[in-house]
């Protein structure tokens, strides 16, 4: 079913996608946000480091921005996009619900996926008691008694050093006997991690052969992987290559912008929202140029 024509279709209704949609709607553009209702930070008790919104529950924040988008004339609809075809200025955005939107420009705010180690219990605590960033989630402003960092990568070691600012004790769990760089305030405990489980008031880490640690929270270096599969059919020559969007999110695929954690996986909510706003401004400017060129062409042929 053809749902209609819009100036811009935004895929993903997180902070970045909604930031782009709000900017475009307030510029009187026809914009639709297609969102599957599963924000990446849904498990987190609160957003941190966002002036004016510090500590707000993520879904409450998103509900407020959705209201602002619709108040400005934009649309936010439920759905999951399965394919993107066509080219600028006539893209077709196909959803799993068999609805197709026709759009002049597309914004991909599809987020990123964290590939977690296969440690039992880890995924169930992700976003609450297992985290990857002390600046994000609900950790800002809290002083811990003890935290553990899982892994032996250079990123894990750097994270352990960073966490000395937030915790009285930091325990690095490299998982085996390999040597790791020692840091002041960081204790290294060897032994493969068998499982993590919720404890009162934090996390219990079970180690081989028969050791256990109880800490307030676990952290790990889990580099996010951007979800950009929708781009591949449009430019198969880009497959496997770094995307390298410009500062506003404009990609080498004409007419497509990528914003938020899909473009820069280390972005916080506040920077993702700002990135979406910058993309919305750039897209509106491009559409204005296109509209003026069309009007000039009509005047010449009149």
């Amino acid at each position: 079913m053809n749902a209609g024509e819009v100036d811009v279709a935004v895929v993903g209704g997180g902070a970045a996608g909604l930031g782009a949609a709000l900017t475009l709607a307030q510029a009187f553009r026809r914009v639709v946000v297609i969102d599957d209702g599963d924000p990446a930070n849904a498990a987190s008790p609160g957003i941190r480091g966002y002036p004016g919104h510090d500590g707000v529950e993520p879904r409450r924040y998103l509900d407020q921005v959705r209201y602002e988008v619709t108040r400005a004339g934009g649309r936010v609809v439920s759905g999951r996009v399965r394919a993107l075809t066509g080219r600028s200025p006539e893209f077709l955005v196909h959803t799993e619900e068999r609805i197709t939107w026709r759009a002049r420009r597309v914004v991909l705010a599809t987020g990123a996926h964290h590939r977690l180690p296969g440690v039992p219990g880890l995924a169930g605590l992700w976003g609450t008691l297992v985290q990857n960033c002390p600046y994000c989630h609900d950790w800002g402003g809290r002083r811990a008694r003890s935290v553990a960092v899982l892994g032996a990568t250079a990123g894990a070691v750097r994270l352990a050093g960073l966490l000395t600012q937030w915790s009285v004790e930091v325990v690095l769990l490299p998982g085996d006997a390999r040597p790791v760089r020692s840091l002041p305030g960081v204790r290294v405990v060897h032994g493969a991690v068998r499982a993590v489980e919720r404890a009162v008031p934090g996390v219990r880490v079970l180690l081989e052969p028969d050791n256990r640690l109880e800490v307030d929270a676990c952290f790990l270096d889990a580099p996010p992987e951007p979800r950009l599969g929708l781009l591949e059919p449009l430019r198969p020559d880009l497959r496997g290559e770094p995307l390298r969007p410009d500062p506003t999110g404009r990609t080498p695929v004409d007419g497509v912008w990528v914003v938020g954690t899909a473009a820069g996986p280390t972005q916080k909510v506040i920077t993702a929202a700002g990135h979406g706003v910058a993309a919305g401004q750039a897209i509106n400017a491009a559409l204005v140029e296109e509209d003026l060129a069309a009007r000039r062409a009509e005047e010449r042929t009149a």
Side-chain angles (χ1 to χ4, degrees), residues 10 69 108 135 141 153 195 234 245 254 282 289:
V10 180
V69 170
L108 295 182
Y135 295 105
T153 64
L234 299 179
D254 186 37
E289 291 182 9

Side-chain angles (χ1 to χ4, degrees), residues 2 4 12 17 19 32 35 38 74-75 99 103-104 107 119 135-136 159 165 167 184 189 195 235 251 275 299-300:
N2 193 332
V32 62
D35 182 50
D38 186 24
R75 296 183 63 181
I99 294 173
R104 297 168 65 187
V107 176
V119 175
Y135 295 105
C136 307
L159 181 57
Q165 186 66 21
S167 182
V189 176
R235 283 286 301 272
T251 74
H275 195 216
E299 290 172 357
R300 285 195 298 268

Side-chain angles (χ1 to χ4, degrees), residues 21-22 25-26 28 63-76:
L22 179 60
Q26 290 179 340
F28 311 106
D63 286 344
Q64 173 62 28
V65 189
R66 287 192 192 99
Y67 164 73
E68 294 168 358
V69 170
T70 56
R71 182 181 60 186
R75 296 183 63 181
V76 181

Side-chain angles (χ1 to χ4, degrees), residues 9-285:
V10 180
V11 183
L18 291 173
L22 179 60
T23 302
L24 289 158
Q26 290 179 340
F28 311 106
R29 292 295 177 186
R30 299 169 301 164
V31 58
V32 62
V33 179
I34 306 164
D35 182 50
D36 63 8
D38 186 24
N41 61 349
S44 178
I47 295 169
R48 288 298 179 183
Y50 196 147
H53 296 289
D54 188 63
V56 69
E57 195 271 330
R59 290 190 185 275
R60 181 180 175 187
Y61 164 76
L62 294 176
D63 286 344
Q64 173 62 28
V65 189
R66 287 192 192 99
Y67 164 73
E68 294 168 358
V69 170
T70 56
R71 182 181 60 186
R75 296 183 63 181
V76 181
V77 301
S78 297
R80 187 182 296 272
V81 174
R82 63 174 176 82
L84 179 61
T85 60
R87 63 181 62 186
S88 181
E90 192 171 312
F91 290 104
L92 295 177
V93 183
H94 310 276
T95 73
E96 291 183 356
E97 294 75 20
R98 297 186 179 182
I99 294 173
T100 298
W101 295 86
R102 192 181 304 271
R104 297 168 65 187
R105 301 290 189 277
V106 172
V107 176
L108 295 182
T110 43
H113 169 71
H114 292 271
R115 191 178 298 276
L116 303 180
V119 175
L122 204 62
L125 298 178
W126 177 249
T128 54
L129 295 173
V130 176
Q131 307 176 17
N132 69 318
C133 173
Y135 295 105
C136 307
H137 303 292
D138 195 39
W139 198 258
R142 286 202 288 155
R143 183 74 166 170
R145 170 187 55 86
S146 179
V147 299
V149 178
L150 280 61
T153 64
V157 174
R158 286 194 299 269
L159 181 57
L162 182 66
L163 285 165
T164 59
Q165 186 66 21
W166 276 269
S167 182
V168 174
E169 179 188 52
V170 178
V171 182
L172 180 62
L173 305 174
D176 54 29
R178 77 177 69 179
V180 294
R181 180 165 59 96
S182 62
L183 294 172
V186 177
R187 180 164 63 98
V188 179
V189 176
H190 291 284
V193 178
R194 290 192 289 117
V196 298
E197 57 188 28
R198 189 181 298 272
V200 179
V203 181
R204 182 178 298 111
V205 183
L206 306 179
L207 302 168
E208 296 285 2
D210 190 25
N211 192 10
R212 64 180 57 196
L213 293 171
E214 295 206 3
V215 295
D216 292 336
C218 287
F219 287 80
L220 67 157
D221 175 34
E225 302 172 357
R227 295 188 177 104
L228 294 174
L230 291 172
L231 274 180
E232 291 184 359
L234 299 179
R235 283 286 301 272
D237 56 304
L238 292 176
R239 187 173 295 138
E241 296 294 326
L243 187 61
R244 296 192 179 93
D246 77 2
T248 72
R250 186 195 302 261
T251 74
V253 180
D254 186 37
V256 178
W257 271 253
V258 173
V259 298
T261 53
T266 59
Q267 290 188 7
K268 291 163 59 72
V269 173
I270 184 172
T271 49
H275 195 216
V277 169
Q281 293 174 343
I283 293 168
N284 185 58

